[in-house]
Amino acid sequence: MPTLSRQEAAAEMVDGAIGAWLAGKHACAITLAGAAEGGMPKIEDYRPAFEVAVATVMKFGRCNRKEAIAVVNTGRDWLKHYGADKPDQISTEFTWAYVLRAYLHFMTVYPDAHQTENMGALRSKIDEGLEPVRALGKALTKSLRRFGETVRGMQLGPITTLAEGAEASGANACGGKHAQLDDKGEHKNQ
C-alpha cells in the first residue's frame, strides 16, 4: 500500500502554495500555506519567525505593528472563518507573506528536504527581492560616509535621509498612514 509521510505531505502543500501564488490563485495559496504550517511539527520557539514576518510587513508595507499583525493573520483567518464581522473582500497584496511563512517553516523543520521546482522559484524571488535591500544598504553606507565627511568639516551639500525617501515613496501598503518613528526608532501607534 502506498504511503505518504508528514514531510512529503508538507512538501506537497508548500509546493502547491507557491505554485498557486505564482499563478495568482490567492485563496488556494493562503489555504495550502496555512494547512502546511498546521501539519508540520511545531517549531519550539516560533515567536522569532512570527516576529520576522511582522517586521517584514512593517518594513515593506510601511505600517505599524498592529497593522502588520493583522496583515500576517487576516487572510488566513478570513478564509477559515466566516462571520458577519468579516469584510466581503480582502487584499491579496500580502499573499506572499503566508507562502513565505510556510516555506520558512518547512525549511526549518526539514532542512535537508529536497527543494521542488516551485521552492526554487520562490528562492529566486527571495534573492531578487534582496537586491533592493542590498542597494538600500549601499545607499545608506554612502549617506553615512557623506555624514562623516560633513562632520569632519567637508561640506558636501544636503544629505537625503532614508525617512525622506520613504515619505516620497507613496502610501502605506497596509492601508493606514505611514508608520512614524519616535526618538528611539520605535514605531509610534497611530
Side-chain angles (χ1 to χ4, degrees):
M1 170 169 75
T3 62
L4 182 67
S5 71
R6 287 269 183 192
Q7 180 178 340
E8 291 166 332
E12 284 184 21
M13 288 187 282
V14 170
D15 181 76
I18 296 167
W21 173 61
L22 293 171
K25 297 182 179 194
H26 301 282
C28 292
I30 294 168
T31 301
L32 282 169
E37 278 194 283
M40 286 187 270
K42 299 292 181 225
I43 297 172
E44 189 171 314
D45 185 8
Y46 193 66
R47 196 74 189 160
F50 179 76
E51 291 300 331
V52 166
V54 169
T56 302
V57 172
M58 287 172 64
K59 179 178 179 174
F60 292 109
R62 293 182 305 279
C63 55
N64 66 39
R65 181 174 173 75
K66 184 177 178 180
E67 291 168 327
I69 289 171
V71 165
V72 169
N73 292 323
T74 298
R76 181 201 61 213
D77 294 345
W78 182 82
L79 286 166
K80 285 175 59 174
H81 309 288
Y82 176 82
D85 62 330
K86 305 265 190 276
D88 289 336
Q89 298 177 344
I90 61 167
S91 171
T92 58
E93 184 173 359
F94 289 104
T95 301
W96 61 268
Y98 302 101
V99 173
L100 180 61
R101 216 166 92 171
Y103 172 73
L104 293 174
H105 189 143
F106 179 79
M107 293 310 301
T108 300
V109 173
Y110 304 113
D112 298 325
H114 167 73
Q115 294 282 298
T116 67
E117 188 175 326
N118 282 337
M119 289 177 189
L122 178 62
R123 185 73 228 173
S124 293
K125 289 208 171 284
I126 292 169
D127 291 342
E128 288 171 20
L130 290 177
E131 193 52 43
V133 175
R134 288 184 190 110
L136 181 63
K138 288 178 184 176
L140 177 60
T141 301
K142 183 178 179 182
S143 188
L144 289 173
R145 280 190 194 126
R146 290 186 62 165
F147 176 74
E149 291 167 357
T150 302
V151 168
R152 287 189 301 267
M154 295 186 260
Q155 299 297 325
L156 298 174
I159 298 172
T160 303
T161 66
L162 293 176
E164 289 168 349
E167 265 314 299
S169 68
N172 174 340
C174 294
K177 296 177 182 177
H178 282 287
Q180 299 294 316
L181 301 180
D182 63 18
D183 293 339
K184 296 177 185 172
E186 299 291 325
H187 286 273
K188 293 180 185 178
N189 287 337
Q190 298 196 0

